[in-house]
Amino acid sequence: MLLVVLGCLLLIVSTPVATMAWIFGRDERRLKKRGRAVSAVCTEHIYRDSVTPVYVRCAFPADGHGETDARVLAPRPAPEVGDSFTVLYDPESPRIAQSAYGLRHPFASILLVSSTGAVVAGLLLGGAGALLRG
């Protein structure tokens, strides 16, 4: 019975996490597949309870779309406002962009793999518990 309960709890927690990781990782996969590198200019620092910027807003020229802006993961060290740095953007949807630094740190992919593993473990635990119960 305990295995069934543990399996169910693992499924309840890990399934939404895996789903969100897949959704957030979609942009990352798209940029790695067809992203175009371009020089962007930092226009704003965005902080989240820290002294270093977590995100930066940047402006860059996008083919056929003119000047575009996007919020991307701040490179380390973060560029000063007015400094240039490299971003990759999706030519079909230029607001989908990421700094080259952000693509080297694939949080969504790691989260997707680990949470999918937890979903499988939950199914196996639940199934084993049900079989042992008879």
Side-chain angles (χ1 to χ4, degrees):
M1 180 69 171
L2 180 63
L3 287 178
V4 173
V5 171
L6 286 175
C8 289
L9 286 174
L10 203 52
L11 283 172
I12 290 168
V13 171
S14 60
T15 302
V17 172
T19 302
M20 292 306 294
W22 182 81
I23 290 168
F24 289 124
R26 188 175 43 195
D27 289 346
E28 181 181 300
R29 291 186 301 274
R30 181 185 295 174
L31 289 172
K32 285 183 176 181
K33 184 176 180 179
R34 65 174 183 238
R36 289 201 183 139
V38 65
S39 181
V41 176
C42 175
T43 58
E44 176 188 8
H45 289 162
I46 302 169
Y47 298 88
R48 296 281 188 260
D49 301 326
S50 66
V51 294
T52 57
V54 176
Y55 298 99
V56 294
R57 185 158 307 283
C58 61
F60 55 90
D63 295 340
H65 296 276
E67 191 76 10
T68 303
D69 75 318
R71 186 188 79 165
V72 300
L73 189 64
R76 300 288 183 253
E80 295 296 323
V81 173
D83 286 353
S84 295
F85 65 103
T86 302
V87 298
L88 269 73
Y89 75 93
D90 182 349
E92 293 178 15
S93 183
R95 293 204 51 133
I96 296 174
Q98 188 55 269
S99 65
Y101 173 86
L103 289 176
R104 285 195 307 267
H105 295 81
F107 175 73
S109 296
I110 293 166
L111 190 61
L112 178 62
V113 169
S114 61
S115 58
T116 302
V119 169
V120 171
L123 289 171
L124 291 174
L125 280 173
L131 284 175
L132 289 173
R133 254 178 101 205

